[in-house]
């Protein structure tokens, strides 16, 4: 393990962190989540970005978030690591070299407010420590992506998702992001969250799993 700014990271994860460029996130990619939140289904992927300063590992560490903005939600997502620069026609198994499960934290009240005003989602989605990453796993093809992923809060399962349930395939997401915004080596894609998102309380413990394998956990501190 290597110490990096007070957080202990595996050597492979430290290499990933040191080369991250853009963080793309996909909204409403599971119909079940859109229905749960009372949102309409979208004809095209909804994509937003997060700053690299929003990243946190999940290695038993404490993730500090503000409790001043009302409800804080946790949304587990399959995260793709892009291993090479995008070229037209490239396939998922050629482009993606690693995956993990991450959490997209959301200030729900803030998000509702900025959406009503037609303003960017950054205050609700891009704050410091607003997304976490579990331990990455190498993949050799799309067949490696068929596992269920899970989010547990205090030992209880909140969410279960699978790429087969996504509205937009991974190939569609990759092509859409690349054609509209650019996509290159070191970029991350948070691919969307299924139903069952959790409302956080101070001292909650979160754990993400890939199949039955735990990829990481963290403890939540909601600061007043």
């Amino acid at each position: 393990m290597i110490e990096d700014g007070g957080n202990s990271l595996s050597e492979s994860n430290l290499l990933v962190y040191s080369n991250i460029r853009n963080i793309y996130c996909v909204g409403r990619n599971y119909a079940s989540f859109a229905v749960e939140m009372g949102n309409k289904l979208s004809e095209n992927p909804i994509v937003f970005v997060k700053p690299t300063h929003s990243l946190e590992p999940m290695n038993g560490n404490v993730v500090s978030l503000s409790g001043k903005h009302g409800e804080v939600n946790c949304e587990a997502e399959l995260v793709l690591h892009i291993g090479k620069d995008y070229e037209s026609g490239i396939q998922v198994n050629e482009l993606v070299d690693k995956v993990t499960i991450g959490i997209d934290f959301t200030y729900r009240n803030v998000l509702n407010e900025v959406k009503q005003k037609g303003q960017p989602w950054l205050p609700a989605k891009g704050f410091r420590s607003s997304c976490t990453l579990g331990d990455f796993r190498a993949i050799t093809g799309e067949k490696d992506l068929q596992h269920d992923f899970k989010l547990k809060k205090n030992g209880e399962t909140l969410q279960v998702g699978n790429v087969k349930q996504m509205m937009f395939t991974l190939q569609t997401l990759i092509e859409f992001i690349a054609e509209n915004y650019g996509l290159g080596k070191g970029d991350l894609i948070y691919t969307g969250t299924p139903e069952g998102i959790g409302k956080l309380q101070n001292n909650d413990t979160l754990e993400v799993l890939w199949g039955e394998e735990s990829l990481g956990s963290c403890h939540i501190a909601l600061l007043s």
Side-chain angles (χ1 to χ4, degrees), residues 46-67:
I46 298 173
V47 179
F48 59 96
V49 296
K50 287 178 179 267
T52 54
H53 296 294
S54 66
L55 282 175
E56 291 277 357
M58 295 187 73
N59 51 18
N61 54 313
V62 175
V63 175
S64 297
L65 305 169
S66 175

Side-chain angles (χ1 to χ4, degrees), residues 80-153:
L80 311 180
H81 177 268
I82 304 303
K84 62 173 67 175
D85 291 344
Y86 176 85
E87 297 177 1
S88 181
I90 196 169
Q91 298 299 299
V92 171
N93 60 332
E94 301 173 277
L95 190 67
V96 176
D97 62 348
K98 301 179 184 69
V99 298
T100 189
I101 308 304
I103 299 176
D104 169 17
F105 292 111
T106 303
Y107 292 150
R108 184 59 54 187
N109 295 3
V110 177
L111 182 59
N112 291 338
E113 291 174 6
V114 296
K115 286 168 63 176
Q116 288 176 357
K117 296 176 181 179
Q119 296 176 347
W121 292 8
L122 190 64
K125 290 280 196 178
F127 50 90
R128 281 184 175 273
S129 304
S130 63
C131 59
T132 65
L133 290 171
D135 203 22
F136 280 91
R137 293 292 179 265
I139 64 166
T140 58
E142 288 189 73
K143 61 179 177 60
D144 295 339
L145 300 172
Q146 300 301 316
H147 300 295
D148 285 349
F149 65 86
K150 300 177 184 177
L151 171 64
K152 290 186 176 183
K153 185 177 78 168

